[in-house]
């Protein structure tokens, strides 16, 4: 068992789960979707496919591993008693999230013992994210995924038991939990067609740099660029076999651990979870220089003023690899930079909101230091995507395929999900168009929290400003003057503009 000191140490590392605010919208409207089984059992996969208003389970999914059902099923099965409550004893008053946080303090051995106490504890202690955390915290990337996180942990820590792992998964009747069921559901749902059909981004092919700057970078608008990767060797060569052979035993950043590409692909081929691990490495070019030589920065993004810092510049270039369902939930790119994202293999669904429109279900703190949002990308689509249909200012959406590039202007909220196994390159950069924004961001009072990608967060503003002045004397003053003139021009409204509403022709007071 855990010692008291160890208990306190691990307690300090608990990460609060953010699913308690926006649960399933009345159990994901399972009453409406007719997914309720009147016989205390889940409908089989074919029935679900027909009756869930467009929701489809992936072909490998049938029912929850342990027959966990959504809480709505219990309300129509009046003769049933939720074994979740009886099996937890005095702990039944705790939320499922809190129960799982407490179980997250235990060792693998303790979880195994607790699983024998009751059917309820058997279900809770086999919740895969608990075992995922144990693997990532204790094995530090020195593992090979073995079908499930529990099997992976036991196989690495207790090799003599490996042949007996997952021989039996008990089916537990009358266990109802929205939280556990939704976690399984989000891991096994296909993307709905209605989530994919909207494609309202501006697409351009063969435009000049000047046109890009005038129509997209200066007004801070996203665009999808076609044809600008045609000369990339990476576009022709980069598939999993080539990358595994080229990179060999080099390890890349995957969440909190580092893994060889071969081990990562073995994981991504087998994984069935709500939030698949994402390979997202900012040092790939240093680790395997040959990768860096097989692509060039598109002409539209050649001006990168952060380069004046040399090796002291924040992280800016990443290789991204992930299976279908992996991706990035809503965020704004670091340090007020703009970005470009080039797909080499696969395809990605993008959703972007302008800086002044916070996406539904996303709750940033006033200082922008933290963002609370649904646990997974699929959960956001299930519970919040539909709300954007009625918005006057709808998000910008697209599917970016191999050979295409998305330009992400600074400050824009965006979400990205891989629709299939995908490989991409992304870079963040600073041009003259967003230099002042970046400098303002770097000197914020809480820069030590907001600035990312560098160890020297507090002094980055002064270092960057001084390096810019040395390399481009007078550029900051010139840009500042132009910005002031632009703001003055925008405020110069005629008298008639100030007292009338041109859209409706009605008089209005503007005192």
């Amino acid at each position: 068992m855990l010692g008291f000191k160890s208990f306190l140490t691990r307690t300090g590392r608990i990460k609060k789960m953010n699913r308690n605010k926006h649960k399933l919208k009345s159990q994901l409207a399972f009453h409406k979707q007719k997914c309720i089984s009147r016989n205390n059992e889940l409908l089989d996969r074919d029935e679900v496919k027909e009756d869930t208003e467009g929701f489809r389970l992936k072909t490998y999914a049938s029912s929850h591993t342990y027959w966990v059902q959504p809480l709505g099923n219990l309300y129509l099965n009046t003769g049933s008693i939720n074994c979740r409550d009886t099996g937890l004893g005095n702990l039944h008053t705790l939320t499922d999230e809190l129960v799982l946080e407490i179980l997250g303090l235990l060792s693998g051995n303790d979880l195994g013992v607790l699983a024998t106490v009751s059917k309820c504890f058997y279900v809770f202690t086999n919740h895969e994210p608990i075992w995922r955390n144990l693997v990532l915290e204790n094995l530090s990337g020195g593992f090979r995924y073995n079908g499930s996180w529990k099997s992976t942990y036991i196989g690495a820590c207790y090799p003599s038991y490996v042949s007996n792992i997952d021989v039996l998964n008990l089916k537990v009747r009358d266990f109802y939990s929205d939280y556990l069921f939704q976690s399984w559901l989000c891991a096994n749902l296909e993307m709905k067609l209605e989530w994919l059909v909207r494609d309202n981004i501006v697409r351009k092919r063969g435009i000049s740099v000047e046109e890009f700057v005038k129509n997209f970078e200066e007004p801070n608008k996203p665009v999808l660029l076609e044809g600008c990767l045609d000369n990339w060797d990476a576009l022709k060569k980069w598939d999993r076999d080539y990358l595994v052979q080229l990179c060999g035993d080099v390890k890349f950043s995957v969440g909190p651990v580092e893994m060889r590409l071969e081990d990562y692909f073995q994981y991504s081929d087998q994984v069935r979870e709500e939030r698949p691990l994402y390979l997202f490495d900012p040092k790939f070019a240093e680790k395997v220089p040959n990768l860096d030589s097989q692509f060039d920065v598109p002409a539209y993004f050649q001006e990168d003023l952060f380069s004046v810092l040399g090796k002291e510049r924040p992280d800016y270039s990443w290789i991204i690899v992930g299976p279908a369902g992996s991706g990035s939930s809503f965020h704004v790119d670091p340090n007020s930079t703009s970005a470009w994202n080039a797909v080499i293999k696969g395809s990605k669904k993008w959703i972007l909101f302008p800086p002044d429109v916070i996406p539904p279900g996303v709750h940033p703190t006033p200082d922008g230091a933290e963002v609370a949002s649904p646990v997974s990308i699929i959960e956001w689509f299930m519970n919040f995507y539909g709300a954007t249909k009625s918005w006057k200012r709808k998000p910008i959406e697209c599917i970016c395929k191999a050979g295409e590039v998305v330009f992400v202007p600074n400050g824009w909220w965006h979400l990205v999900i891989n629709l299939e196994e995908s490989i991409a390159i992304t870079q963040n950069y600073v041009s003259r168009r967003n230099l002042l924004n970046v400098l303002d961001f770097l000197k914020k009072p809480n820069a030590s929290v907001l600035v990312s990608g560098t160890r020297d967060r507090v002094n980055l503003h002064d270092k960057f400003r001084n390096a810019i002045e040395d390399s481009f004397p007078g550029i900051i003053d010139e840009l500042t003057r132009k910005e002031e003139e632009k703001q003055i021009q925008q405020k110069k409204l005629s008298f008639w503009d100030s007292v009338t509403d041109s859209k409706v022709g009605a008089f209005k007071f503007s005192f």
Side-chain angles (χ1 to χ4, degrees):
M1 297 292 289
L2 285 172
F4 184 69
K5 182 177 180 180
S6 178
F7 179 91
L8 291 179
T9 301
R10 294 197 64 181
T11 301
R13 294 202 302 267
I14 298 176
K15 294 183 178 179
K16 186 174 181 181
M17 302 179 184
N18 292 313
R19 191 180 271 127
N20 54 333
K21 281 190 176 181
H22 296 283
K23 291 184 177 181
L24 264 186
K25 270 189 182 177
S26 300
Q27 285 57 307
L28 184 56
F30 267 85
H31 300 292
K32 180 178 179 182
Q33 297 170 6
K34 301 178 182 177
C35 281
I36 302 172
S37 170
R38 297 177 183 274
N39 298 315
N40 294 334
E41 295 180 1
L42 285 175
L43 297 175
D44 64 32
R45 175 170 52 85
D46 292 333
E47 290 175 293
V48 172
K49 282 186 175 181
E50 293 177 1
D51 293 332
T52 53
E53 298 185 350
F55 285 104
R56 288 182 174 271
L57 293 176
K58 295 176 180 176
T59 54
Y60 56 75
S62 55
S63 62
H64 191 285
T65 308
Y66 306 107
W67 282 11
V68 173
Q69 302 179 53
L71 193 58
N73 288 22
L74 177 63
Y75 299 143
L76 291 190
N77 294 321
T78 54
S80 297
I81 298 175
N82 193 352
C83 75
R84 178 251 185 229
D85 296 335
T86 57
L88 280 178
N90 292 334
L91 297 178
H92 78 276
T93 57
L94 302 180
T95 65
D96 291 346
E97 298 95 319
L98 186 54
V99 170
L100 291 170
E101 286 189 14
I102 294 172
L103 296 183
L105 301 174
L106 303 181
S107 68
N109 185 61
D110 296 334
L111 291 170
V113 173
L114 190 59
T116 65
V117 172
S118 67
K119 292 185 293 183
C120 171
F121 274 116
Y122 175 80
V123 173
F124 273 112
T125 56
N126 278 283
H127 189 50
E128 272 287 273
I130 296 178
W131 294 94
R132 167 170 151 155
N133 291 340
L134 283 173
V135 170
L136 299 181
E137 290 176 5
N138 295 296
L139 302 184
S140 302
F143 65 87
R144 289 178 66 86
Y145 188 77
N146 186 29
S148 73
W149 287 110
K150 180 180 178 182
S151 298
T152 303
Y153 180 82
I154 295 175
C157 298
Y158 307 97
S160 60
Y161 292 104
V162 69
S163 61
N164 298 318
I165 299 174
D166 285 344
V167 171
L168 177 64
N169 285 324
L170 298 179
K171 306 299 183 183
V172 179
R173 294 175 62 88
D174 299 329
F175 189 107
Y176 303 92
S177 166
D178 279 345
Y179 188 87
L180 295 181
F181 183 81
Q182 179 162 288
S183 179
W184 172 85
L185 186 65
C186 289
N188 290 282
L189 269 186
E190 295 279 9
M191 291 286 287
K192 289 179 66 175
L193 179 61
E194 69 177 77
W195 299 342
L196 302 174
V197 293
R198 188 188 294 168
D199 191 327
N200 57 355
I201 198 169
V202 176
R203 293 173 176 266
K204 292 292 182 180
R205 174 183 288 270
I207 63 173
S208 66
V209 174
E210 292 75 17
E211 185 179 352
F212 168 75
V213 170
K214 177 182 177 181
N215 295 329
F216 301 104
E217 195 176 34
E218 283 188 344
N220 212 43
K221 294 180 179 180
V223 62
L224 188 149
L225 300 166
E226 301 173 344
C228 55
L229 310 183
D230 292 347
N231 63 339
W232 280 21
D233 290 337
L235 198 62
K236 306 176 183 70
K237 294 182 179 180
W238 286 17
D239 57 27
R240 61 160 61 191
D241 292 335
Y242 175 81
L243 292 177
V244 166
Q245 181 179 5
L246 178 65
C247 299
D249 291 331
V250 175
K251 291 187 175 183
F252 296 89
S253 297
V254 179
V257 299
E258 293 206 335
M259 300 176 68
R260 297 187 310 152
L261 273 178
E262 183 178 3
D263 294 337
Y264 178 73
F265 283 128
Q266 182 188 33
Y267 156 80
S268 65
D269 283 342
Q270 302 178 63
V271 68
R272 306 287 183 264
E273 60 184 334
E274 186 177 7
R275 293 173 297 161
L277 291 175
Y278 211 14
L279 190 154
F280 205 85
D281 196 303
K283 306 297 183 185
F284 74 97
E286 299 175 18
K287 296 175 180 179
V288 187
N290 197 14
L291 290 176
D292 191 43
S293 66
Q294 295 184 34
F295 71 92
D296 299 305
V297 176
Y300 310 105
F301 317 112
Q302 291 281 338
E303 183 182 58
D304 185 1
L305 299 180
F306 254 148
S307 63
V308 299
L309 288 174
K311 293 184 178 180
E312 291 189 276
R313 70 171 300 166
D315 293 338
Y316 73 102
S317 183
W318 292 264
I319 187 173
I320 311 173
V321 183
S326 61
S328 301
S329 56
F330 274 110
H331 64 284
V332 174
D333 278 341
N335 305 330
S336 198
T337 56
S338 298
W340 57 270
N341 186 296
V343 177
I344 296 171
K345 292 289 186 239
S347 57
K348 298 172 180 284
K349 169 70 178 184
W350 283 78
I351 298 182
L352 304 98
F353 287 89
D356 60 332
V357 178
I358 298 176
V362 176
H363 306 279
T365 56
D367 63 359
E370 297 182 3
V371 177
S373 63
V375 169
S376 69
I377 298 173
I378 289 291
E379 183 180 348
W380 183 86
F381 274 102
M382 290 169 60
N383 294 335
F384 298 103
Y385 179 80
T388 66
K389 292 181 179 180
S390 61
W391 284 25
K392 185 175 181 179
R393 299 181 65 186
K394 292 180 173 57
I396 300 297
E397 299 184 40
C398 69
I399 293 177
C400 186
K401 300 177 181 179
E404 299 176 339
V405 180
V406 170
F407 166 62
V408 185
N410 70 286
W412 278 66
W413 291 93
H414 53 284
L415 169 152
V416 189
I417 183 170
N418 291 320
L419 302 180
E420 55 189 308
E421 181 176 278
S422 299
I423 302 171
I425 291 290
T426 188
Q427 291 191 357
N428 291 74
Y429 73 101
V430 183
S431 70
R432 295 168 193 261
R433 269 65 63 185
N434 67 329
L435 174 59
L436 296 183
N437 291 325
V438 172
L439 288 172
D440 287 343
F441 182 90
L442 296 181
K443 68 177 180 181
K444 286 187 175 182
N446 57 342
S448 61
V449 176
L450 294 179
V451 174
S452 64
T454 180
R455 294 181 179 179
D456 193 3
R457 300 179 177 186
V458 176
N459 298 314
L460 183 61
H461 170 269
D462 292 341
K463 288 182 178 180
F464 184 40
R465 185 183 180 95
N466 292 337
I468 287 290
E469 290 287 15
D470 290 341
S471 301
F472 306 96
I475 186 176
I476 296 177
D477 291 339
E478 179 184 351
L479 292 174
T480 301
R481 178 179 54 79
K482 288 182 178 180
E483 181 62 24
E484 291 173 349
E485 291 175 354
K486 180 180 177 181
Q487 292 179 3
I488 292 173
Q489 189 65 30
Q490 290 174 344
K491 292 179 180 179
K492 283 185 177 180
L493 297 175
S494 68
F495 172 77
W496 185 250
D497 288 334
S498 69
V499 297
T500 62
D501 185 337
S502 59
K503 292 184 178 180
V504 298
F507 184 87
K508 71 176 182 181
F509 294 99
S510 59
F511 309 124

